[in-house]
């Protein structure tokens, strides 16, 4: 992305976040509540034709047996042979799968399962909505939430709301922290650029979806996409939090315990 307005700056720009969350360098920094906070749940999708009992793992095994895909070997270990099952969706960038799929809200699935949207005391993660993936693998009719990044559509909508809440609008100078988990070469970086170009961070050469943290220079708000979570936290003024909760394009919840 040679024409990107985002450029690298010193990692020291994120030191203030490291003071708030000393263990966050590898995954992204939890900013706490500043003074309020809300979680945006990463989008999931379901076949319009309805649910199925076949799981993603069932499909993968069929493709392996047919020689259509290669075994998943990690660190010299054949993960498929050991029966290890992915509990989440894809890692990093995600978006609407296209025709034949519809948005499946967490609240709708939670009601269907008779479970809370997010269990008390937990963050949005692989422990959420456990009844939908009791053996670890989701039904093939569901594209589960991506780990570590908002879906493309939700990220773009969040940026629009941040623009509306920022007095300088698109010219608001911002900083983005890319954790090693968000970087293709496992290196942490801090980039600086205008809020008006924040949507472009989703496809930045040094990133993979929404950045670990994004904040304006005045630190009025902070976003946090932890590399292991299925939700993105936004901390900032109550007016921003309420705007996110009320927005029909996003699915957001308050989780007072985290």
């Amino acid at each position: 992305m040679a024409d990107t307005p985002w450029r690298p700056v010193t990692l020291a720009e994120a030191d203030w976040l490291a003071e708030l969350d000393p263990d966050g360098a590898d995954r992204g920094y939890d900013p706490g509540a500043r003074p309020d906070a809300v979680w945006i749940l990463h989008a999931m999708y379901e076949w319009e034709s309805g649910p199925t009992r076949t799981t993603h793992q069932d499909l993968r095994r069929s493709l392996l047996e047919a020689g259509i895909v290669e075994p998943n070997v990690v660190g010299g270990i054949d993960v498929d042979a050991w029966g290890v099952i992915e509990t989440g969706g894809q890692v990093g960038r995600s978006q609407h799968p296209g025709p034949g799929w519809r948005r499946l809200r967490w609240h709708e699935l939670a009601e269907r399962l008779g479970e809370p949207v997010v269990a008390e005391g937990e963050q949005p993660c692989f422990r959420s909505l456990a009844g939908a993936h009791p053996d670890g693998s989701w039904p093939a009719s569901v594209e589960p939430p991506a780990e570590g990044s908002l879906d493309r559509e939700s990220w773009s909508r969040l940026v629009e709301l941040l623009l509306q809440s920022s007095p300088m609008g698109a010219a608001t100078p911002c900083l983005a922290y890319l954790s090693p988990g968000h970087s293709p070469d496992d290196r942490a970086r801090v980039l600086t650029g205008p809020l008006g170009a924040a949507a472009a961070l989703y496809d930045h050469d040094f990133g993979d979806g929404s950045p670990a943290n994004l904040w304006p220079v005045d630190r009025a708000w902070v976003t946090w996409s932890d590399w292991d979570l299925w939700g993105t936290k936004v901390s900032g003024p109550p007016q921003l939090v309420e705007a996110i909760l009320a927005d029909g394009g996003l699915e957001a919840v308050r989780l007072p315990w985290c």
Side-chain angles (χ1 to χ4, degrees):
M1 296 184 63
D3 58 346
T4 179
W6 293 88
R7 58 182 179 81
V9 292
T10 174
L11 281 172
E13 294 285 358
D15 283 354
W16 72 280
L17 284 170
E19 293 176 3
L20 298 175
D21 183 10
D23 298 323
D26 289 339
R27 53 183 174 77
Y29 297 106
D30 181 354
R34 300 180 56 79
D36 205 352
V38 64
W39 287 86
I40 301 174
L41 304 174
H42 298 171
M44 69 179 84
Y45 306 92
E46 185 175 49
W47 286 348
E48 292 177 349
S49 56
T52 179
R53 293 181 179 274
T54 303
T55 68
H56 284 279
Q57 188 70 358
D58 293 334
L59 288 178
R60 178 159 181 80
R61 285 174 179 149
S62 297
L63 294 173
L64 280 167
E65 291 170 0
I68 298 174
V69 299
E70 296 294 326
N72 183 17
V73 179
V74 179
I77 298 174
D78 186 340
V79 176
D80 294 303
W82 279 89
V84 177
I85 299 172
E86 287 290 336
T87 55
Q90 64 193 70
V91 175
R93 301 183 185 98
S94 69
Q95 61 189 31
H96 193 289
W101 294 84
R102 69 176 186 89
R103 177 80 177 267
L104 175 61
R105 299 277 174 165
W106 287 51
H107 287 79
E108 177 187 347
L109 183 56
E111 183 176 354
R112 188 187 302 174
L113 297 169
E115 299 181 15
V117 176
V118 178
E120 187 168 353
E122 296 284 358
Q123 297 171 326
C125 67
F126 69 91
R127 297 184 182 88
S128 301
L129 305 172
H133 49 100
D135 299 319
S137 187
W138 288 74
S141 54
V142 174
E143 281 292 321
E147 290 183 341
S149 172
L150 270 171
D151 52 287
R152 185 182 301 277
E153 293 84 0
S154 294
W155 174 249
S156 295
R157 181 55 188 156
L158 173 59
V159 170
E160 291 176 8
L161 294 179
L162 295 174
L163 284 166
Q164 293 172 16
S165 71
S166 301
M168 294 180 63
T172 302
C174 290
L175 294 132
Y177 176 68
L178 309 182
S179 75
H182 290 80
S183 173
D185 58 4
D186 297 324
R187 287 180 54 193
R189 289 180 174 84
V190 175
L191 307 177
T192 185
L195 181 57
L201 283 170
Y202 206 85
D203 297 301
H204 197 281
D205 290 346
F206 294 135
D208 191 9
S210 55
N213 299 102
L214 177 72
W215 68 97
V217 293
D218 66 2
R219 305 176 186 175
W221 46 260
V222 188
T223 73
W224 174 43
S225 295
D226 184 297
W227 196 239
D228 289 325
L229 298 184
W230 297 357
T232 289
K233 185 177 184 179
V234 181
S235 298
Q239 299 93 321
L240 173 60
V241 168
E242 292 299 331
I244 291 172
L245 285 166
D247 191 86
L250 301 173
E251 186 175 15
V253 293
R254 291 183 183 273
L255 301 177
W257 54 86
C258 60

